[in-house]
Amino acid sequence: MRMKKKAGAAIVAVMAVALAAGTVPAKRPADIGWPSYGLNPAETRYSSLDQITPANVGQLGVAWYADFDARSLRGVEGTPIVVDGVMYASGPWSKVIALDARTGRKLWSYDPDFEGGIARRACCDVVNRGVAYANGKVFVGVLDGRLVALDARTGKPVWTAVTTDPGKSYTITGAPRVIGNKVLIGNGGAEYAVRGYVSAYDVDSGKLAWRFYTVPGDPAKGFENKAIAMAAKTWRGEWWKYGGGGTVWDSMAYDPELDLLYIGVGNGGPWDIKVRSPGGGDNLFLSSIVALKPETGDYVWHFQEVPGDQWDYTATQHMILADLTIDGRLRKVLMQAPKNGYFYVIDRQTGQFISGTPYVPLNWSKGLDPRTGRPDIAPEARYGSEKPFIGLPSPAGGHGWQPMSYSPKTGYVYIPTAEIPYGYIAEDAAKFHYDPRGWNTGQDPARTAMPEDPKIRAQIRGMMGGALIAWDPVARRKMWSVPMPMPWNGGVLSTATGLVFQGNGEGEFAAYDATTGRKLWSAHLDSGIVAPPVTYRVGGVQYVSVAVGWGGILPLNMGEALKKAVPPRVNRIVTFRIGGQAALPKLPPLERAPLDPPPATAPPEQVAEGHRIFHTNCWMCHGDSAVNHGGVPDLRRSAAIADPATFKAFVLEGAAEPLGMPNFSKDLTPGQVEAIRAYVIKRANDLKADPSQP
């Protein structure tokens, strides 16, 4: 016993000397996770962690990786969260995995197991942007409209709430948020002409606490509250028959001091206002930021960015809360770079407009009223069936869903931007036919597609680009810009040490100097990246993680904008640390399906009919003009087009429905399917004649 005491005393003495000499840490730094979607209620995505710096970022190496178990390689858009040393991440098909945040060891996985045909309702891939955590539970919104609470230790469901009408084309791709004892979730489906809303559920029981609708319903049934009655005065006609749109499919933020929840509201459904609201009107609360009381869902204020939206200019893009000194006065502000191309700064207490400045080229508006922020809409932007409009930005936006980041150290907001022209052409409003199972935009599907002339197509592709920019919201100007190889790239993370992390569509994950934009480090991760990175500290070590997986709206249905895109190769989480020594597995050589189409012998009128039907039913997943770089087959290279029976089995008999290819037997006739096949064969032969095309 005496010997043990003496040995213990000796150890204490040695430790004391070591501490005095600074050779061992006095105390290991506390773990710091990434507890919610935007890191904090203000959604800044700015980390105070300081172990990874501009001086040592070049020493980053892979610490670990973990693959998602997916039905097929699809887009990965999720933000992993890290709580108590465990990472919870969502992937395609709303699947969730729990990982040891230090090693990547899989602890459990959850598969919501819904019908593959639900993919038809998702305008923009079978993606999921993240989960939430509270009271030992992980919450995930499922593509089919469910909100599921999982036991954080086991991954077993605790409760399930059906948040949407299963008979309508709603989806959920956004991340839930938790405020107090409530978990909040919105939905998507405006292109399918549903009615948008946001719902709050009790964290422990899953009981519905409140619901706030963002557009008015049928007046004959009464309005839910005074705010909706007010909104109804800005609509015309019988809008409720088509839903109205206004889905809250992504962004939210919360100010605990003001106790205000901010939601971003989506586009109109249908897009064409002459169909949706004949006679015009502002159509509240489309394309608006709305402030609500999170306990009750009561309306407080709104700011509408695009009155009478008809361009898919949503206000669902990332919102960030900050305190800025503007004109010598400290202001509590909300910042957003929505699809419409203006960077907005508004007072988050009152909804008062402070400033709005173009952050990308735009032509739909001639400017904003300096007092109200109301846009002066260019007359030519109000397109029609005989009056097309080549618009900037496109429906994909000057900035899409990919999160920004705000650094209070530099004062800059870091934004992934895009420049893509788009041809808006309405169909004749008098001939509009509502399809409860399909898109209802009011656009002319045949005329909005890319032109057939390959030279014109090449010119249009040359107009498309993307960049990572640093924006000063006080000076209202761009401070630096890093061009990207394409317009579809990942979300952003900034740190207190002056780093900005972002992945891009070619699969490069990079760190930039937050002040200058100079690239300091990069690694290639084998597949395009659209998700935003996160950083956390566990066991005294800082890690940086990013979800990898190519997909989303542009790869699927605007493939010609992504001529340099890396094809989908993996769906995984990759995590880095200083001195990491792990190696990513070497992928087998990319083998594209052979291009061996049958001769294009169909009569021109059948091909033209196939072009129309394809762009009514198929382009959302298989791409404008049958060009796609996402996780679904390139039909031009598919062996199925050589055989009418095989092609029919896929389209009318559901042969690939478990993988997300819907059964169109209720929508198309065998003759129409054959016309689609004739059109795809024609497009395959176009590519064979000119392999330089995407």
Side-chain angles (χ1 to χ4, degrees):
M1 181 67 72
R2 289 180 182 175
M3 290 180 64
K4 289 182 179 179
K5 285 183 177 180
K6 287 181 179 180
I11 292 172
V12 170
V14 170
M15 288 295 294
V17 172
L19 287 168
T23 56
V24 296
K27 185 178 181 182
R28 190 175 72 187
D31 290 354
I32 296 179
W34 189 284
S36 63
Y37 180 73
L39 179 59
N40 46 46
E43 305 261 333
T44 61
R45 292 181 176 264
Y46 168 82
S47 172
S48 62
L49 294 178
D50 59 6
Q51 198 175 91
I52 302 172
T53 70
N56 65 18
V57 69
Q59 301 171 32
L60 280 180
V62 176
W64 56 262
Y65 70 92
D67 288 346
F68 287 102
D69 174 23
R71 305 184 194 187
S72 57
L73 293 177
R74 302 296 288 265
V76 181
E77 297 185 355
T79 295
I81 65 171
V82 180
V83 179
D84 296 332
V86 178
M87 176 182 288
Y88 305 96
S90 62
W93 304 99
S94 313
K95 294 186 176 184
V96 182
I97 55 176
L99 308 167
D100 184 310
R102 284 182 292 187
T103 66
R105 180 174 63 90
K106 187 176 290 187
L107 305 176
W108 53 257
S109 62
Y110 168 73
D111 182 352
D113 191 25
F114 54 86
E115 294 181 5
I118 295 293
R120 179 178 180 176
R121 302 179 182 178
C123 75
C124 315
D125 211 347
V126 292
V127 296
N128 188 280
R129 297 188 185 90
V131 299
Y133 177 94
N135 295 4
K137 290 182 279 294
V138 175
F139 305 94
V140 61
V142 179
L143 194 70
D144 65 4
R146 288 175 287 160
L147 177 65
V148 181
L150 305 172
D151 186 299
R153 295 171 302 169
T154 66
K156 303 296 183 184
V158 177
W159 55 256
T160 298
V162 178
T163 76
T164 61
D165 182 343
K168 296 182 178 180
S169 292
Y170 284 100
T171 52
I172 296 177
T173 57
R177 309 299 203 277
V178 173
I179 300 176
N181 67 342
K182 293 180 175 57
V183 55
L184 309 167
I185 194 69
N187 46 61
E191 278 67 42
Y192 300 82
V194 300
R195 183 189 183 196
Y197 55 85
V198 62
S199 305
Y201 294 85
D202 182 87
V203 163
D204 293 317
S205 68
K207 182 180 178 181
L208 179 66
W210 55 259
R211 175 167 291 167
F212 181 84
Y213 285 94
T214 53
V215 299
D218 185 349
K221 298 179 180 179
F223 299 120
E224 290 81 4
N225 51 54
K226 292 181 179 179
I228 291 299
M230 172 189 70
K233 297 177 182 178
T234 68
W235 290 72
R236 306 286 183 269
E238 298 178 316
W239 70 86
W240 60 90
K241 292 185 176 181
Y242 306 137
T247 48
V248 185
W249 55 264
D250 197 21
S251 187
M252 302 181 201
Y254 173 62
D255 184 329
E257 180 184 349
L258 299 176
D259 192 30
L260 288 180
L261 162 69
Y262 307 96
I263 62 171
V265 183
N267 56 283
W271 291 4
D272 185 3
I273 195 169
K274 292 184 293 298
V275 173
R276 182 181 75 239
S277 180
D282 286 356
N283 291 187
L284 291 173
F285 295 104
L286 297 182
S287 302
S288 299
I289 296 169
V290 181
L292 305 172
K293 281 294 183 181
E295 183 64 27
T296 61
D298 290 339
Y299 164 90
V300 179
W301 58 254
H302 77 274
F303 175 78
Q304 187 173 44
E305 295 170 346
V306 186
D309 167 61
Q310 67 179 94
W311 305 274
D312 189 16
Y313 286 164
T314 63
T316 51
Q317 283 56 57
H318 185 195
M319 297 180 288
I320 295 176
L321 312 183
D323 294 349
L324 302 180
T325 300
I326 300 174
D327 296 330
R329 176 186 170 193
L330 187 65
R331 305 289 298 268
K332 294 181 180 296
V333 307
L334 181 153
M335 301 181 288
Q336 187 183 49
K339 281 186 181 182
N340 74 21
Y342 285 103
F343 187 95
Y344 290 90
V345 180
I346 65 174
D347 187 305
R348 70 175 184 268
Q349 292 180 284
T350 64
Q352 178 189 1
F353 173 74
I354 297 174
S355 67
T357 312
Y359 65 91
V360 291
L362 60 88
N363 67 350
W364 67 277
S365 163
K366 295 187 288 185
L368 303 179
D369 183 292
R371 185 179 63 86
T372 65
R374 188 179 181 91
D376 181 6
I377 296 174
E380 61 271 20
R382 290 294 186 187
Y383 61 88
S385 59
E386 300 302 325
K387 182 188 171 186
F389 172 60
I390 306 300
L392 281 171
S394 76
H399 166 226
W401 68 268
Q402 292 92 331
M404 314 180 296
S405 179
Y406 169 67
S407 168
K409 187 171 183 178
T410 62
Y412 300 162
V413 178
Y414 304 96
I415 313 170
T417 65
E419 295 181 24
I420 305 171
Y422 183 84
Y424 293 92
I425 309 175
E427 64 180 339
D428 186 341
K431 298 179 180 179
F432 175 80
H433 171 70
Y434 174 63
D435 179 1
R437 289 164 51 84
W439 275 36
N440 293 278
T441 63
Q443 300 288 293
D444 186 320
R447 297 171 67 198
T448 56
M450 286 280 277
E452 290 291 311
D453 189 324
K455 292 182 179 179
I456 298 177
R457 300 169 81 95
Q459 289 176 347
I460 294 173
R461 289 198 300 271
M463 298 170 63
M464 300 177 181
L468 171 64
I469 71 169
W471 183 267
D472 186 326
V474 177
R476 301 171 59 181
R477 64 189 180 95
K478 188 189 319 180
M479 303 307 293
W480 54 255
S481 176
V482 178
M484 292 289 155
M486 65 190 71
W488 194 242
N489 301 291
V492 186
L493 159 71
S494 61
T495 74
T497 60
L499 293 171
V500 173
F501 288 92
Q502 185 200 27
N504 69 29
E506 286 192 323
E508 181 187 41
F509 183 51
Y512 302 90
D513 184 292
T515 303
T516 67
R518 182 168 64 94
K519 187 188 296 185
L520 302 175
W521 165 89
S522 69
H524 197 278
L525 302 186
D526 295 326
S527 194
I529 302 167
V530 291
V534 303
T535 187
Y536 59 92
R537 185 173 65 207
V538 175
V541 176
Q542 182 182 353
Y543 299 86
V544 176
S545 292
V546 66
V548 180
W550 187 233
I553 186 170
L554 259 72
L556 284 185
N557 59 41
M558 296 181 72
E560 294 212 33
L562 304 168
K563 51 189 177 293
K564 294 184 179 180
V566 177
R569 303 297 307 279
V570 296
N571 284 172
R572 65 168 50 128
I573 302 282
V574 182
T575 298
F576 297 85
R577 59 169 290 178
I578 297 296
Q581 297 294 320
L584 296 178
K586 188 175 181 179
L587 297 180
L590 179 65
E591 295 185 4
R592 302 189 70 179
L595 183 63
D596 186 26
T601 58
E605 58 271 19
Q606 186 181 32
V607 173
E609 177 69 356
H611 175 276
R612 184 191 66 79
I613 300 170
F614 179 93
H615 287 95
T616 301
N617 297 278
C618 314
W619 80 278
M620 306 82 161
C621 293
H622 290 286
D624 186 318
S625 305
V627 180
N628 99 73
H629 294 299
V632 300
D634 182 340
L635 293 182
R636 299 170 300 172
R637 296 178 178 272
S638 172
I641 64 174
D643 178 52
T646 302
F647 196 76
K648 178 183 173 184
F650 281 105
V651 181
L652 293 184
E653 299 169 12
E657 197 159 18
L659 297 177
M661 172 60 199
N663 182 334
F664 282 88
S665 59
K666 295 181 180 179
D667 310 278
L668 299 174
T669 67
Q672 289 174 319
V673 172
E674 187 60 14
I676 294 172
R677 191 176 76 90
Y679 170 68
V680 175
I681 289 173
K682 189 264 184 189
R683 292 293 297 128
N685 279 276
D686 289 346
L687 179 60
K688 187 174 181 179
D690 180 9
S692 66
Q693 297 184 51

